[in-house]
Amino acid sequence: MKAAPLVVTALFGRQDQAWFNALRREHYPPERNMVDAHLTLFHQLPPSAADELKHRLVQETRGIRAPRAKVAGLMSLDGGVAYRIESPELAAIREGLLHAFAGLLTAQDAGRWRPHVTIQNKVRPVLAKTVLAALSRDFAPREVEIAGLASWWYRGGAWEAHSRNMFA
């Protein structure tokens, strides 16, 4: 099988994953909704980093308490809507990985990280504004469980699991 870039995500606890997935099913265009809701740490690492990535994700999770995190607000993506995530502990983990893979990162991954979970994308801006307004009316910050870290082969649509590593 042809080598593919790797995506790195944080994994949510079961209840939080179900909540995000339900929102994504409700608001994401069905023909574009090919993966579950996710919090991306890196969008595209080269396939040559696969073994080192797996090793580092194990190091970051094995015997380590899960980072605290919360949904802190909503974000406009112009043609979509996302929930903004705050987690200084997860940001520190990402920062370590950023330094480890610095020479391999795309401009997007090397730039400023805006942790979020996209629940709508690739829609007309007017529709996104309507959804953002509706979700903002009832929004209240909430804690979410970061259960682990994962990496995925990106093959142009659905993702193929590469590594799944759970916090203690």
Side-chain angles (χ1 to χ4, degrees):
M1 187 171 286
K2 183 181 170 197
L6 290 154
V7 178
V8 181
T9 66
L11 298 171
F12 292 107
R14 202 170 291 142
Q15 288 181 336
D16 295 317
Q17 186 66 54
W19 179 67
F20 284 128
N21 281 346
L23 287 164
R24 195 169 164 102
R25 277 191 306 275
E26 182 178 349
H27 299 292
Y28 215 94
E31 67 281 1
R32 294 183 173 275
N33 194 9
M34 302 176 94
V35 297
D36 283 345
H38 53 278
L39 172 55
T40 304
L41 277 71
F42 296 97
H43 295 86
Q44 186 176 336
L45 287 172
S48 61
D51 292 341
E52 179 66 16
L53 176 60
K54 192 177 285 191
H55 172 74
R56 289 194 182 264
L57 294 181
V58 167
Q59 286 183 314
E60 293 292 347
T61 55
R62 184 178 290 156
I64 308 293
R65 194 183 79 183
R68 291 182 303 265
K70 72 177 181 179
V71 176
L74 287 147
M75 293 172 55
S76 170
L77 303 177
D78 293 327
V81 176
Y83 280 99
R84 186 170 46 85
I85 305 295
E86 286 182 2
S87 177
E89 295 164 335
L90 185 60
I93 290 169
R94 185 187 183 277
E95 188 71 17
L97 293 169
L98 180 115
H99 290 299
F101 294 105
L104 304 175
L105 299 178
T106 63
Q108 179 183 25
D109 286 335
R112 189 176 129 238
W113 186 46
R114 296 183 326 154
H116 64 277
V117 177
T118 303
I119 59 152
Q120 181 187 58
N121 206 6
K122 313 266 196 257
V123 299
R124 293 189 337 264
V126 67
L127 177 57
K129 286 179 185 177
T130 301
V131 169
L132 179 64
L135 293 173
S136 294
R137 278 192 293 276
D138 297 325
F139 177 78
R142 65 181 271 177
E143 299 293 317
V144 290
E145 178 189 3
I146 302 293
L149 301 175
S151 54
W152 313 85
W153 297 108
Y154 176 75
R155 301 201 186 277
W159 298 351
E160 178 187 330
H162 168 257
S163 176
R164 182 179 173 89
N165 308 276
M166 307 310 283
F167 289 104

